[in-house]
Amino acid sequence: KAGVTQTPRYLIKTRGQQVTLSCSPISGHRSVSWYQQTPGQGLQFLFEYFSETQRNKGNFPGRFSGRQFSNSRSEMNVSTLELGDSALYLCASSLQGGNTEAFFGQGTRLTVV
Amino acid sequence: QKEVEQNSGPLSVPEGAIASLNCTYSDRGSQSFFWYRQYSGKSPELIMSIYSNGDKEDGRFTAQLNKASQYVSLLIRDSQPSDSATYLCAAGGATNKLIFGTGTLLAVQP
């Protein structure tokens, strides 16, 4: 059974640009959550999608957005990139969301210069 | 106030010893609890889940949950140098999001 796949693995972007990250969950999983991980802040919750609907959102500015498609694949978009957006972005896939086991992809390492 | 708290460590134990990792949570509505292991430069890997009070054992790992005290722990028996990693505690509830602690760095000394 394939795991969670995130693309791309690495990205280097310039301040002010925008970026789109992709996450393909485990087959049969309908919930996809996104997290930002930085050395100082740990894992911070961005948002969670279930059956194409955003069910929960963390405390991030509106520059961070996401969506989920009918096949459960999800994308995350960050517009007007800032240096502070440099981080490891992780998506986690689960059957139903918060109370069920979540499995992480390898992450996308974003560097903003 | 952090919702899930862990001692950042490092927790240093000799090879073969028992490593004890602890976590407290503030939301009494939390219903599910998870331990993840994260090696440097890698993504978190789920190693244990626990949903009810008591102990749950899986190989060398035992998770313990005490909802009255809002306390979760992970015991690693016969610790190996390959267990050296950051261990993340997470709590899930009705909000459909997992709240993570900042992790405890475990160092197993050969």
Side-chain angles (χ1 to χ4, degrees), chain A residues 35-45 104, chain B residues 2-8 22-26 33-36 38 44 86-92 98-105:
Chain A
Y35 294 84
Q36 180 195 67
Q37 188 174 38
T38 57
Q41 297 296 318
L43 269 167
Q44 300 291 310
F45 174 79
F104 284 89
Chain B
K2 290 185 179 178
E3 297 179 48
V4 176
E5 294 207 38
Q6 297 179 254
N7 188 320
S8 62
N22 305 312
C23 167
T24 58
Y25 60 96
S26 60
F33 305 87
F34 307 93
W35 284 98
Y36 288 82
Q38 187 173 24
T86 296
Y87 288 81
L88 299 165
C89 172
L98 283 181
I99 304 299
F100 284 83
T102 52
T104 298
L105 178 62

Short mmCIF file of all heavy atoms in Angstrom, two decimals, chain A residues 35-45 104, chain B residues 2-8 22-26 33-36 38 44 86-92 98-105:
data_model
loop_
_atom_site.label_atom_id
_atom_site.label_comp_id
_atom_site.label_asym_id
_atom_site.label_seq_id
_atom_site.Cartn_x
_atom_site.Cartn_y
_atom_site.Cartn_z
N TYR A 35 0.73 20.77 8.06
CA TYR A 35 1.47 21.31 9.19
C TYR A 35 2.72 22.03 8.70
O TYR A 35 3.31 21.65 7.69
CB TYR A 35 1.90 20.21 10.16
CG TYR A 35 0.77 19.51 10.85
CD1 TYR A 35 0.10 18.45 10.23
CD2 TYR A 35 0.35 19.90 12.11
CE1 TYR A 35 -0.94 17.80 10.86
CE2 TYR A 35 -0.69 19.26 12.76
CZ TYR A 35 -1.33 18.21 12.12
OH TYR A 35 -2.37 17.58 12.75
N GLN A 36 3.08 23.05 9.45
CA GLN A 36 4.35 23.72 9.22
C GLN A 36 5.26 23.38 10.37
O GLN A 36 4.87 23.46 11.54
CB GLN A 36 4.15 25.25 9.17
CG GLN A 36 5.43 26.03 8.93
CD GLN A 36 5.27 27.51 9.25
OE1 GLN A 36 5.09 27.89 10.39
NE2 GLN A 36 5.34 28.35 8.23
N GLN A 37 6.49 22.98 10.07
CA GLN A 37 7.43 22.65 11.12
C GLN A 37 8.68 23.51 11.00
O GLN A 37 9.34 23.53 9.96
CB GLN A 37 7.84 21.17 11.10
CG GLN A 37 8.66 20.77 12.31
CD GLN A 37 8.94 19.28 12.37
OE1 GLN A 37 9.17 18.63 11.36
NE2 GLN A 37 8.90 18.72 13.58
N THR A 38 8.97 24.23 12.07
CA THR A 38 10.18 25.03 12.16
C THR A 38 10.89 24.69 13.45
O THR A 38 10.25 24.23 14.40
CB THR A 38 9.85 26.55 12.15
OG1 THR A 38 8.95 26.83 13.23
CG2 THR A 38 9.22 26.96 10.83
N PRO A 39 12.21 24.91 13.51
CA PRO A 39 12.95 24.54 14.73
C PRO A 39 12.41 25.24 15.97
O PRO A 39 12.35 24.66 17.04
CB PRO A 39 14.38 24.98 14.42
CG PRO A 39 14.46 24.94 12.94
CD PRO A 39 13.10 25.35 12.45
N GLY A 40 11.97 26.46 15.85
CA GLY A 40 11.54 27.19 17.03
C GLY A 40 10.11 26.94 17.47
O GLY A 40 9.80 27.00 18.64
N GLN A 41 9.26 26.61 16.52
CA GLN A 41 7.82 26.49 16.81
C GLN A 41 7.29 25.07 16.78
O GLN A 41 6.14 24.83 17.14
CB GLN A 41 7.02 27.32 15.79
CG GLN A 41 7.31 28.81 15.86
CD GLN A 41 6.89 29.40 17.17
OE1 GLN A 41 5.84 29.09 17.71
NE2 GLN A 41 7.73 30.26 17.73
N GLY A 42 8.09 24.12 16.36
CA GLY A 42 7.58 22.76 16.30
C GLY A 42 6.56 22.61 15.18
O GLY A 42 6.56 23.34 14.20
N LEU A 43 5.66 21.64 15.35
CA LEU A 43 4.63 21.35 14.35
C LEU A 43 3.41 22.24 14.59
O LEU A 43 2.74 22.11 15.61
CB LEU A 43 4.20 19.89 14.44
CG LEU A 43 4.94 18.88 13.59
CD1 LEU A 43 4.60 17.47 14.03
CD2 LEU A 43 4.57 19.06 12.13
N GLN A 44 3.13 23.10 13.65
CA GLN A 44 1.99 24.00 13.76
C GLN A 44 0.92 23.61 12.75
O GLN A 44 1.21 23.47 11.55
CB GLN A 44 2.43 25.45 13.52
CG GLN A 44 3.48 25.94 14.50
CD GLN A 44 2.94 26.09 15.90
OE1 GLN A 44 1.90 26.71 16.11
NE2 GLN A 44 3.63 25.50 16.87
N PHE A 45 -0.31 23.46 13.21
CA PHE A 45 -1.41 23.04 12.37
C PHE A 45 -1.84 24.17 11.44
O PHE A 45 -2.07 25.30 11.88
CB PHE A 45 -2.59 22.63 13.26
CG PHE A 45 -3.85 22.30 12.54
CD1 PHE A 45 -4.03 21.08 11.91
CD2 PHE A 45 -4.89 23.22 12.50
CE1 PHE A 45 -5.20 20.77 11.25
CE2 PHE A 45 -6.07 22.93 11.84
CZ PHE A 45 -6.23 21.71 11.22
N PHE A 104 2.28 10.66 8.02
CA PHE A 104 2.89 11.81 7.36
C PHE A 104 3.60 11.44 6.06
O PHE A 104 4.15 10.33 5.93
CB PHE A 104 3.91 12.47 8.28
CG PHE A 104 3.30 13.31 9.37
CD1 PHE A 104 2.96 12.74 10.58
CD2 PHE A 104 3.05 14.66 9.16
CE1 PHE A 104 2.39 13.51 11.58
CE2 PHE A 104 2.48 15.43 10.16
CZ PHE A 104 2.15 14.85 11.38
N LYS B 2 0.40 26.29 26.30
CA LYS B 2 0.53 25.22 25.33
C LYS B 2 -0.48 24.14 25.64
O LYS B 2 -0.73 23.81 26.80
CB LYS B 2 1.95 24.65 25.39
CG LYS B 2 3.01 25.61 24.86
CD LYS B 2 4.36 24.94 24.84
CE LYS B 2 5.40 25.89 24.28
NZ LYS B 2 6.75 25.28 24.30
N GLU B 3 -1.05 23.55 24.60
CA GLU B 3 -2.07 22.55 24.80
C GLU B 3 -1.50 21.16 25.06
O GLU B 3 -2.12 20.35 25.71
CB GLU B 3 -2.98 22.54 23.58
CG GLU B 3 -3.72 23.87 23.39
CD GLU B 3 -4.60 23.88 22.18
OE1 GLU B 3 -5.37 22.92 22.00
OE2 GLU B 3 -4.53 24.84 21.40
N VAL B 4 -0.34 20.88 24.49
CA VAL B 4 0.36 19.63 24.74
C VAL B 4 1.79 19.99 25.12
O VAL B 4 2.47 20.68 24.36
CB VAL B 4 0.35 18.71 23.50
CG1 VAL B 4 1.16 17.45 23.76
CG2 VAL B 4 -1.08 18.34 23.12
N GLU B 5 2.21 19.52 26.28
CA GLU B 5 3.53 19.90 26.77
C GLU B 5 4.42 18.68 26.94
O GLU B 5 4.00 17.65 27.44
CB GLU B 5 3.42 20.65 28.09
CG GLU B 5 2.72 21.99 27.96
CD GLU B 5 3.16 22.99 29.03
OE1 GLU B 5 4.34 23.01 29.38
OE2 GLU B 5 2.29 23.72 29.51
N GLN B 6 5.66 18.85 26.52
CA GLN B 6 6.68 17.83 26.69
C GLN B 6 7.96 18.50 27.14
O GLN B 6 8.25 19.63 26.76
CB GLN B 6 6.97 17.11 25.36
CG GLN B 6 5.82 16.35 24.75
CD GLN B 6 6.25 15.71 23.44
OE1 GLN B 6 5.88 16.16 22.36
NE2 GLN B 6 7.03 14.63 23.55
N ASN B 7 8.76 17.76 27.88
CA ASN B 7 10.10 18.23 28.23
C ASN B 7 10.98 18.10 26.99
O ASN B 7 11.01 17.04 26.37
CB ASN B 7 10.65 17.36 29.36
CG ASN B 7 11.95 17.92 29.91
OD1 ASN B 7 12.80 18.40 29.15
ND2 ASN B 7 12.10 17.88 31.21
N SER B 8 11.64 19.19 26.62
CA SER B 8 12.40 19.16 25.36
C SER B 8 13.65 18.30 25.42
O SER B 8 14.17 17.89 24.38
CB SER B 8 12.78 20.59 24.95
OG SER B 8 13.60 21.16 25.94
N ASN B 22 7.44 11.67 28.68
CA ASN B 22 6.19 12.11 29.28
C ASN B 22 5.56 13.27 28.53
O ASN B 22 6.25 14.06 27.88
CB ASN B 22 6.44 12.54 30.73
CG ASN B 22 7.10 11.43 31.52
OD1 ASN B 22 6.68 10.30 31.48
ND2 ASN B 22 8.17 11.78 32.23
N CYS B 23 4.26 13.39 28.70
CA CYS B 23 3.49 14.39 27.98
C CYS B 23 2.24 14.73 28.79
O CYS B 23 1.62 13.82 29.35
CB CYS B 23 3.12 13.80 26.61
SG CYS B 23 1.88 14.66 25.65
N THR B 24 1.90 16.00 28.89
CA THR B 24 0.63 16.40 29.50
C THR B 24 -0.17 17.20 28.49
O THR B 24 0.40 17.84 27.60
CB THR B 24 0.86 17.24 30.77
OG1 THR B 24 1.63 18.41 30.43
CG2 THR B 24 1.59 16.46 31.84
N TYR B 25 -1.49 17.16 28.65
CA TYR B 25 -2.34 17.90 27.73
C TYR B 25 -3.38 18.68 28.51
O TYR B 25 -3.74 18.30 29.63
CB TYR B 25 -3.01 16.95 26.73
CG TYR B 25 -3.89 15.89 27.35
CD1 TYR B 25 -5.26 16.08 27.46
CD2 TYR B 25 -3.34 14.70 27.81
CE1 TYR B 25 -6.07 15.11 28.02
CE2 TYR B 25 -4.15 13.72 28.38
CZ TYR B 25 -5.51 13.93 28.49
OH TYR B 25 -6.31 12.97 29.04
N SER B 26 -3.87 19.76 27.93
CA SER B 26 -4.76 20.64 28.67
C SER B 26 -6.24 20.46 28.31
O SER B 26 -7.11 20.79 29.12
CB SER B 26 -4.36 22.09 28.46
OG SER B 26 -4.44 22.42 27.09
N PHE B 33 -4.63 9.74 21.51
CA PHE B 33 -3.28 10.18 21.80
C PHE B 33 -2.29 9.34 21.00
O PHE B 33 -2.49 8.14 20.84
CB PHE B 33 -3.00 10.07 23.31
CG PHE B 33 -4.03 10.81 24.12
CD1 PHE B 33 -5.20 10.19 24.49
CD2 PHE B 33 -3.83 12.14 24.44
CE1 PHE B 33 -6.17 10.88 25.20
CE2 PHE B 33 -4.79 12.85 25.14
CZ PHE B 33 -5.97 12.22 25.52
N PHE B 34 -1.28 10.02 20.51
CA PHE B 34 -0.35 9.36 19.59
C PHE B 34 1.08 9.74 19.94
O PHE B 34 1.36 10.85 20.39
CB PHE B 34 -0.65 9.80 18.15
CG PHE B 34 -2.09 9.61 17.76
CD1 PHE B 34 -3.00 10.64 17.89
CD2 PHE B 34 -2.54 8.39 17.26
CE1 PHE B 34 -4.34 10.47 17.54
CE2 PHE B 34 -3.87 8.21 16.90
CZ PHE B 34 -4.76 9.25 17.04
N TRP B 35 1.96 8.79 19.70
CA TRP B 35 3.40 9.05 19.79
C TRP B 35 4.02 8.88 18.42
O TRP B 35 3.78 7.87 17.74
CB TRP B 35 4.07 8.11 20.79
CG TRP B 35 3.81 8.47 22.22
CD1 TRP B 35 2.88 7.94 23.05
CD2 TRP B 35 4.50 9.46 22.98
NE1 TRP B 35 2.94 8.53 24.28
CE2 TRP B 35 3.94 9.48 24.27
CE3 TRP B 35 5.55 10.35 22.70
CZ2 TRP B 35 4.38 10.32 25.28
CZ3 TRP B 35 6.00 11.19 23.70
CH2 TRP B 35 5.41 11.18 24.97
N TYR B 36 4.81 9.87 18.04
CA TYR B 36 5.53 9.83 16.79
C TYR B 36 7.03 9.92 17.08
O TYR B 36 7.46 10.58 18.01
CB TYR B 36 5.15 11.03 15.90
CG TYR B 36 3.76 10.94 15.30
CD1 TYR B 36 2.64 11.31 16.04
CD2 TYR B 36 3.57 10.50 14.00
CE1 TYR B 36 1.37 11.24 15.49
CE2 TYR B 36 2.30 10.42 13.43
CZ TYR B 36 1.21 10.79 14.19
OH TYR B 36 -0.04 10.72 13.63
N GLN B 38 10.61 11.06 15.26
CA GLN B 38 11.12 11.84 14.15
C GLN B 38 12.63 11.87 14.19
O GLN B 38 13.22 12.44 15.12
CB GLN B 38 10.55 13.27 14.16
CG GLN B 38 10.93 14.07 12.92
CD GLN B 38 10.23 15.42 12.84
OE1 GLN B 38 9.82 15.99 13.85
NE2 GLN B 38 10.08 15.94 11.63
N PRO B 44 7.76 12.85 10.73
CA PRO B 44 7.33 12.04 11.88
C PRO B 44 6.75 10.69 11.44
O PRO B 44 6.04 10.60 10.44
CB PRO B 44 6.26 12.91 12.53
CG PRO B 44 6.53 14.29 12.06
CD PRO B 44 7.06 14.13 10.68
N THR B 86 13.75 12.45 18.05
CA THR B 86 12.80 13.29 18.77
C THR B 86 11.46 12.58 18.80
O THR B 86 10.99 12.10 17.76
CB THR B 86 12.66 14.67 18.10
OG1 THR B 86 13.92 15.37 18.16
CG2 THR B 86 11.60 15.51 18.80
N TYR B 87 10.86 12.52 19.97
CA TYR B 87 9.57 11.85 20.14
C TYR B 87 8.49 12.92 20.37
O TYR B 87 8.58 13.73 21.30
CB TYR B 87 9.64 10.86 21.30
CG TYR B 87 10.47 9.65 20.91
CD1 TYR B 87 11.86 9.72 20.96
CD2 TYR B 87 9.87 8.49 20.44
CE1 TYR B 87 12.64 8.64 20.55
CE2 TYR B 87 10.64 7.40 20.04
CZ TYR B 87 12.02 7.49 20.09
OH TYR B 87 12.78 6.43 19.68
N LEU B 88 7.50 12.88 19.51
CA LEU B 88 6.41 13.86 19.54
C LEU B 88 5.15 13.21 20.09
O LEU B 88 4.76 12.13 19.65
CB LEU B 88 6.13 14.37 18.13
CG LEU B 88 7.28 15.08 17.41
CD1 LEU B 88 6.98 15.21 15.92
CD2 LEU B 88 7.51 16.45 18.00
N CYS B 89 4.54 13.90 21.02
CA CYS B 89 3.26 13.48 21.59
C CYS B 89 2.18 14.32 20.91
O CYS B 89 2.37 15.52 20.68
CB CYS B 89 3.28 13.72 23.09
SG CYS B 89 1.72 13.49 23.95
N ALA B 90 1.05 13.70 20.57
CA ALA B 90 -0.04 14.42 19.94
C ALA B 90 -1.37 14.00 20.55
O ALA B 90 -1.55 12.85 20.93
CB ALA B 90 -0.06 14.18 18.43
N ALA B 91 -2.28 14.96 20.64
CA ALA B 91 -3.62 14.70 21.17
C ALA B 91 -4.65 15.11 20.13
O ALA B 91 -4.52 16.16 19.48
CB ALA B 91 -3.85 15.49 22.47
N GLY B 92 -5.66 14.29 19.97
CA GLY B 92 -6.73 14.57 19.01
C GLY B 92 -8.07 14.58 19.71
O GLY B 92 -8.27 13.89 20.71
N LEU B 98 -4.88 17.38 15.11
CA LEU B 98 -3.95 16.86 16.09
C LEU B 98 -3.13 18.02 16.62
O LEU B 98 -2.61 18.82 15.84
CB LEU B 98 -3.02 15.83 15.47
CG LEU B 98 -3.56 14.43 15.21
CD1 LEU B 98 -2.46 13.56 14.62
CD2 LEU B 98 -4.10 13.81 16.48
N ILE B 99 -3.03 18.10 17.94
CA ILE B 99 -2.17 19.10 18.56
C ILE B 99 -0.91 18.40 19.03
O ILE B 99 -0.98 17.42 19.77
CB ILE B 99 -2.86 19.77 19.75
CG1 ILE B 99 -4.20 20.38 19.32
CG2 ILE B 99 -1.95 20.85 20.35
CD1 ILE B 99 -4.07 21.45 18.25
N PHE B 100 0.22 18.92 18.60
CA PHE B 100 1.50 18.29 18.90
C PHE B 100 2.24 19.05 19.99
O PHE B 100 2.18 20.29 20.05
CB PHE B 100 2.39 18.26 17.65
CG PHE B 100 2.00 17.21 16.66
CD1 PHE B 100 1.00 17.43 15.74
CD2 PHE B 100 2.65 15.99 16.65
CE1 PHE B 100 0.64 16.45 14.83
CE2 PHE B 100 2.30 15.01 15.74
CZ PHE B 100 1.30 15.24 14.83
N GLY B 101 2.96 18.31 20.80
CA GLY B 101 3.94 18.90 21.67
C GLY B 101 5.18 19.24 20.85
O GLY B 101 5.29 18.86 19.68
N THR B 102 6.12 19.92 21.48
CA THR B 102 7.33 20.33 20.77
C THR B 102 8.37 19.21 20.70
O THR B 102 9.38 19.37 20.03
CB THR B 102 7.95 21.57 21.41
OG1 THR B 102 8.10 21.33 22.81
CG2 THR B 102 7.06 22.79 21.20
N GLY B 103 8.09 18.10 21.38
CA GLY B 103 8.96 16.94 21.25
C GLY B 103 10.04 16.84 22.31
O GLY B 103 10.49 17.86 22.86
N THR B 104 10.43 15.61 22.59
CA THR B 104 11.54 15.32 23.51
C THR B 104 12.64 14.63 22.73
O THR B 104 12.39 13.62 22.05
CB THR B 104 11.10 14.41 24.66
OG1 THR B 104 10.09 15.05 25.42
CG2 THR B 104 12.28 14.07 25.56
N LEU B 105 13.83 15.19 22.81
CA LEU B 105 14.99 14.58 22.14
C LEU B 105 15.56 13.48 23.03
O LEU B 105 15.92 13.72 24.18
CB LEU B 105 16.06 15.65 21.87
CG LEU B 105 17.35 15.15 21.21
CD1 LEU B 105 17.05 14.57 19.84
CD2 LEU B 105 18.36 16.29 21.11
#
